[in-house]
Amino acid sequence: MGVESEFQKMADVSKIRKFRDADDYRRNFVVQEEIDKYLPGGRHFIDEAEINRCIAEVAEKPADPARVREIIAKSESTCETLLPEETAVLMSVTDPALFEEMRAAADRIKHKVYDNRIVMFAPLYMSNLCVNGCKYCGFREGNAAQKRRVLTMDELKAEVDVLAGRIGHKRLIAVYGEHPTTSTEYIAETIETCYARQVKAPKTGAPVGIRRVNVNAAPLPVEDLRMLHEVGIGTFQVFQETYNRKLYESMHPSWSVKGNYDWRTTAFHRCMEAGVDDVGMGVLYGLCDWRYEVLATVLHARDLERWFNIGPHTISFPRLEPASGTRVPEESPWLIDDETFARILVIMRLSVPYTGMIVTARERPESRNRVLDHGMTQLDCSSNIAIKGYSDFADEAQQEKTRQQFMLGDNRSIETMVRYLAERGIITSFCTAGYRCGRTGGCIMDALKTGREGKFCKINAVLTFREWLDDFAKDPETVRIGNALIEKELKGIEQWVPKFYPQVLKQYQATCAGSRDLFF
Ligand code: SAM
Ligand code: SF4
């Protein structure tokens, strides 16, 4: 960034450390005190011995149905994170009928916490320059098969024009490689650029734009996170990849920044300290024994709750996918099948009942359709994970190998998905009100656990679904199916909050008449 940008003129970037080059960054980026603070006495909250003990305890004996039902009841009534030994019991269930009881409970909890909404978002890849050497990733340094790119702000605007103006997205997950060129200042500038861009909806000409930018990037120091908080970051996602330290170290070379396990595992503690209190966890399933990863995720959530009273806002479930220049995704001994994937979702919904659960278009359509009633709450559609992919490819489904991290499994368009969901009685929500009203982190933990947030958000789901149908739906049949669902939802809201309903109806009618971005 040679010329001073609008962003640099506005923001106080003086506290953000600068690095000469990749080597300087690799040597000096990690701030050791910001790790040590959260590992008092050098003890790590990912307690390997405890995880192994939990796994061993349930290994040989079949799950006791009475104990399993007790744990399900606890999860459903309290919405509190389970103990690792309780999660281990759920993992040991092999009887299909008992598992079906777990699945049904996971679905009920999802409805209690989030109602029948699925939140829609899109990935937006900003850059694939990377100083790391993750053995499973096409973006890793030294992979000559990958064309390197960093979106300029003008290119980013063109991407947003397609995402917000042609597809109708309101919520993004912006994805970045780790490199000094695209460090915090760049991330902040891209977030601001996304928010500032307004375009016109194709059907109504209404002003539309991106209303929430979540970020998937490498762990950052506290000062850097403060800057992202200032520019209005949504959720900060960092996938742990694997919680197994040995395996982690074998996948992430020690010369790389990412090779530092403790820097990565304490990423969310720093987020919370900086005020970024919506954090998104994830494991890259297929690198290690899934049972280890699920228990470690529970321990991670519990440690955040212990320090800050706030757990993960979301948990994602990426599976290893084939990527350019690596055989790890094909050859790992820990790859999981669809059956296990579905089990993991149910177990996680019961184990961390209040969290949002994201299943991306990495999954094939059959797999995503199947787990819609396994507790998941968010998905992406019309996705393109090539850098500059949205504006370059007129055909939404087109993918290009050399420019993306891996190949997507589900290329359904947003309209196909919205309709499919509506036919299953699920409303697609484009709502982004939460963080804009300060309902983040601790403020919504209680509301989520008691089911208040789910009902409240239903109203915003209806308003934003109305907007999307009017602004973007191409096929009259989609509108017809969508209208029928909205009518049913409005009746439900009237019954739930009769006194408040006139206000809801007023906002709904204003939306029908062309007003935009009304929310509660
Ligand atoms: N560079 C940042 C980092 O690694 O934290 C964030 C961006 S990275 C592109 C986002 C995520 O992609 C990683 O955390 C990893 O879980 C996932 N990923 C990498 N290679 C993958 C593969 N072959 N299949 C599926 N997901 C992969
Ligand atoms: Fe870089 Fe992230 Fe890929 Fe690792 S996973 S090589 S850090 S982009």
Side-chain angles (χ1 to χ4, degrees):
M1 291 183 292
V3 184
E4 193 183 36
S5 67
E6 278 310 304
F7 164 74
Q8 285 167 310
K9 281 181 218 151
M10 280 182 320
D12 175 14
V13 293
S14 59
K15 289 187 182 147
I16 303 300
R17 292 173 308 147
K18 306 259 187 319
F19 299 90
R20 269 193 320 279
D21 53 27
D23 275 341
D24 183 28
Y25 180 91
R26 266 191 290 259
R27 269 198 305 275
N28 297 311
F29 190 62
V30 168
V31 184
Q32 188 61 38
E33 310 86 79
E34 295 187 4
I35 298 176
D36 296 342
K37 183 171 176 183
Y38 294 110
L39 303 177
R43 223 181 110 78
H44 206 294
F45 50 88
I46 304 299
D47 183 340
E48 195 172 330
E50 188 184 357
I51 294 174
N52 288 331
R53 183 185 53 76
C54 287
I55 292 175
E57 229 159 64
V58 296
E60 301 293 308
K61 46 183 186 204
D64 169 14
R67 177 78 183 117
V68 171
R69 290 188 185 113
E70 222 174 77
I71 295 168
I72 294 175
K74 175 184 169 186
S75 167
E76 208 169 344
S77 60
T78 66
C79 271
E80 301 286 352
T81 305
L82 294 180
L83 298 167
E85 51 268 35
E86 292 167 333
T87 297
V89 171
L90 298 181
M91 293 192 321
S92 70
V93 171
T94 50
D95 172 25
L98 193 53
F99 179 73
E100 174 51 26
E101 284 183 43
M102 285 165 54
R103 189 212 55 79
D107 197 32
R108 284 197 301 277
I109 293 170
K110 186 255 165 169
H111 276 80
K112 174 178 166 187
V113 181
Y114 292 94
D115 217 309
N116 62 336
R117 287 178 297 132
I118 287 284
V119 170
M120 179 64 71
F121 70 94
L124 174 51
Y125 276 61
M126 300 285 190
S127 66
N128 62 358
L129 283 180
C130 197
V131 295
N132 294 314
C134 314
K135 292 189 180 158
Y136 46 81
C137 180
F139 289 174
R140 74 193 175 286
E141 188 180 75
N143 179 18
Q146 191 75 210
K147 288 185 201 159
R148 303 291 163 170
R149 267 206 104 114
V150 177
L151 280 187
T152 65
M153 292 310 130
D154 283 340
E155 287 169 339
L156 173 55
K157 286 175 195 161
E159 293 285 274
V160 171
D161 289 356
V162 177
L163 282 157
R166 217 152 71 198
I167 307 175
H169 280 295
K170 304 280 185 277
R171 177 189 287 253
L172 301 179
I173 178 79
V175 184
Y176 307 77
E178 179 167 16
H179 197 275
T181 314
T182 57
S183 197
T184 307
E185 253 182 83
Y186 175 80
I187 297 176
E189 188 175 7
T190 53
I191 294 174
E192 293 219 310
T193 302
C194 289
Y195 286 140
R197 190 76 178 163
Q198 290 284 307
V199 278
K200 285 197 161 77
K203 282 171 71 187
T204 58
V208 287
I210 296 300
R211 299 175 184 162
R212 178 172 175 124
V213 183
N214 300 328
V215 164
N216 183 313
L220 294 172
V222 174
E223 275 310 330
D224 295 48
L225 288 159
R226 287 210 173 99
M227 168 171 279
L228 297 189
H229 184 49
E230 255 173 52
V231 298
I233 186 178
T235 306
F236 192 71
Q237 254 185 13
V238 176
F239 297 158
Q240 182 53 38
E241 324 303 9
T242 175
Y243 283 97
N244 182 305
R245 192 185 280 268
K246 260 208 193 102
L247 243 160
Y248 184 91
E249 284 167 4
S250 75
M251 286 293 145
H252 308 100
S254 56
W255 52 258
S256 67
V257 182
K258 194 156 165 181
N260 189 328
Y261 178 90
D262 293 341
W263 179 242
R264 199 159 182 95
T265 41
T266 50
F268 298 140
H269 296 69
R270 291 189 294 280
C271 284
M272 300 283 176
E273 186 179 329
V276 178
D277 55 5
D278 276 356
V279 298
M281 289 183 179
V283 153
L284 187 49
Y285 284 97
L287 287 176
C288 175
D289 183 350
W290 66 269
R291 296 169 309 163
Y292 191 98
E293 307 293 25
V294 169
L295 289 173
T297 304
V298 169
L299 287 179
H300 197 170
R302 291 181 67 85
D303 199 63
L304 289 176
E305 290 168 5
R306 193 172 65 80
W307 277 93
F308 306 101
N309 250 322
I310 303 171
H313 183 66
T314 57
I315 298 182
S316 299
F317 299 84
R319 276 202 265 187
L320 259 184
E321 302 292 340
S324 86
T326 171
R327 296 288 302 158
V328 172
E330 284 85 1
E331 291 170 359
S332 169
W334 297 108
L335 300 177
I336 55 168
D337 58 15
D338 288 0
E339 199 64 36
T340 310
F341 184 71
R343 280 173 73 79
I344 291 171
L345 287 185
V346 166
I347 293 164
M348 199 61 89
R349 169 54 67 216
L350 292 168
S351 298
V352 193
Y354 57 79
T355 200
M357 293 194 354
I358 302 177
V359 179
T360 68
R362 289 173 168 91
E363 292 298 311
R364 282 166 298 103
E366 312 82 83
S367 170
R368 284 220 289 190
N369 293 352
R370 174 182 180 179
V371 298
L372 276 171
D373 60 4
H374 285 47
M376 68 175 277
T377 59
Q378 289 196 30
L379 53 75
D380 58 323
C381 265
S382 290
S383 299
N384 194 311
I385 57 171
I387 305 208
K388 206 164 168 292
Y390 291 104
S391 42
D392 274 0
F393 301 130
D395 171 4
E396 281 176 16
Q398 203 175 335
Q399 298 185 50
E400 195 202 325
K401 265 190 186 160
T402 56
R403 271 168 50 185
Q404 59 186 42
Q405 197 191 6
F406 47 79
M407 303 303 285
L408 289 178
D410 190 347
N411 290 309
R412 277 179 287 183
S413 72
I414 195 166
E415 182 146 355
T416 306
M417 187 58 108
V418 161
R419 211 154 116 179
Y420 174 74
L421 293 175
E423 280 164 351
R424 283 184 61 166
I426 300 168
I427 186 162
T428 305
S429 177
F430 295 87
C431 170
T432 55
Y435 92 105
R436 293 192 291 159
C437 307
R439 292 203 302 271
T440 63
C443 297
I444 61 160
M445 279 288 141
D446 279 346
L448 284 170
K449 288 176 186 170
T450 55
R452 265 183 297 131
E453 180 76 3
K455 297 275 185 241
F456 203 53
C457 289
K458 169 62 86 56
I459 301 168
N460 292 327
V462 168
L463 296 178
T464 55
F465 189 46
R466 178 78 271 154
E467 288 183 349
W468 188 87
L469 288 172
D470 290 349
D471 289 342
F472 296 97
K474 294 183 184 123
D475 186 338
E477 187 57 10
T478 312
V479 178
R480 189 189 66 74
I481 295 169
N483 284 345
L485 182 61
I486 286 182
E487 220 167 279
K488 188 169 147 255
E489 299 300 347
L490 284 172
K491 282 202 183 104
I493 295 168
E494 187 176 14
Q495 277 172 8
W496 168 56
V497 277
K499 284 204 183 118
F500 186 53
Y501 185 66
Q503 279 185 61
V504 175
L505 199 60
K506 197 168 149 215
Q507 299 291 61
Y508 178 72
Q509 284 162 347
T511 304
C512 293
S515 293
R516 289 292 171 265
D517 207 11
L518 305 174
F519 56 85
F520 289 93

